[in-house]
Amino acid sequence: MELGGFQAGHAHDLTAGTGCTVFLFDGCAPAGVDIRGGGPASRETPLLNPLMDAKGIHGLLLSGGSAYGLDAAGGVMRYLEERGIGVAVGEIRVPLVCQSCIFDLGIGRSDVRPDGAMARSACEKAGRSPLLNGCVGAGAGATVGKYRGMAYAMKSGIGTYGVQIGGLKVGAAVVVNALGDVYDLDSGVQIAGMRGAGGLCSSEMEMWEDGERMIPPTSGNTTIGAVFTNGAFTKAELNKIAAMTHNGYARTIRPVHTTADGDAIYALSVGTIAAELNLVGTLAAHVMGKAVVRAVTQSKAMFGLPCAADLSV
């Protein structure tokens, strides 16, 4: 499905296990955000508060590198500035770019993180073709099922999905780097996550069985994503849509929104179609759940960690 209204591109270092994915909007796109995890790494998200003056943003960057990766947004700003894109402040243009990062420092090389040069490369590669899914871009270092630690985890990545009803379009992109396990949206069957001697194990069940002796959840997670619609919405409405979209996380990732995750979702309006908020919020949760599933099913084994496809072999 061609949603329109933006270009997107990946850049990554697959040897180091990190990367970034950029979305460059045709105009200043109204946006909202909802952050529910306890450990986010993000940049410029206060702009999306309905009380703030900013009417929208010019770019969105999803990346690895944890807090170190936040430097990468400078590369997007410079790329846009050179093209005269941004808020006019006298003779200067100031692009508004939001960013969220996953913690992928525990895989590959921890001393290599997305920077301005990598983000600029993603901008230069950006286009309107469908984004590749799997272990690319910001999903290069993503993993899931880390309740017992990385030795029991599985490889994940980035996933996308979209739907169209009449002229209304809603799409999602998500980097799944969760503490918890991933379940199929339709069947409810676990398809990736913590591994045991006999295959997949339930992180939730292990937590319940541990009880008061619960193992402290490992840090180094965070699922970050965005939903895009050609429906016309205000910042306040988009903040509500972002909140509703978290239902897609809850239906496919368990546990989710823990203190060891920095889960965040952006919602962006890239069109002018008249649309009803609750319909779009419901569709957004659905496409986000589908995108989560794609993020793990389209990934491949890397760094000694198996992928979902390995379980069916």
Side-chain angles (χ1 to χ4, degrees), residues 116-275:
M118 181 182 286
R120 184 183 184 89
S121 176
C123 292
E124 292 169 346
K125 296 174 182 176
R128 300 186 189 276
S129 300
L131 274 175
L132 290 176
N133 287 192
C135 303
V136 293
T143 51
V144 296
K146 289 167 278 188
Y147 181 72
R148 289 181 183 168
M150 288 298 295
Y152 301 91
M154 290 181 64
K155 194 68 185 71
S156 181
I158 186 170
T160 61
Y161 194 84
V163 296
Q164 180 172 356
I165 298 180
L168 176 65
K169 300 177 181 180
V170 182
V174 62
V175 184
V176 183
N177 189 57
L179 170 72
D181 311 318
V182 176
Y183 294 78
D184 184 74
L185 181 66
D186 299 319
S187 68
V189 173
Q190 185 178 351
I191 56 175
M194 187 174 68
R195 295 174 293 122
L200 289 174
C201 299
S202 166
S203 297
E204 279 189 322
M205 186 63 67
E206 180 125 338
M207 292 173 73
W208 298 338
E209 291 177 351
D210 287 337
E212 294 182 359
R213 300 182 295 101
M214 187 180 76
I215 302 168
T218 177
S219 62
N221 308 292
T222 297
T223 295
I224 52 177
V227 288
F228 311 88
T229 179
N230 64 350
F233 293 100
T234 66
K235 276 205 299 185
E237 292 170 329
L238 288 162
N239 274 275
K240 179 58 178 176
I241 290 172
M244 293 179 70
T245 307
H246 272 282
N247 291 329
Y249 282 6
R251 293 168 187 159
T252 53
I253 305 171
R254 300 203 295 269
V256 71
H257 303 144
T258 73
T259 57
D261 293 286
D263 304 326
I265 294 177
Y266 296 86
L268 299 111
S269 173
V270 293
T272 59
I273 300 293

Side-chain angles (χ1 to χ4, degrees), residues 285-312:
H286 175 76
V287 296
M288 182 57 76
K290 288 286 194 179
V292 167
V293 172
R294 275 197 176 170
V296 297
T297 58
Q298 297 298 307
S299 294
K300 61 182 180 180
M302 294 175 64
F303 304 106
L305 297 178
C307 61
D310 294 331
L311 301 178
S312 59

Side-chain angles (χ1 to χ4, degrees), residues 70-82:
L70 293 172
D71 286 343
V76 181
M77 289 189 67
R78 288 186 289 275
Y79 178 87
L80 294 174
E81 179 189 21
E82 292 167 6

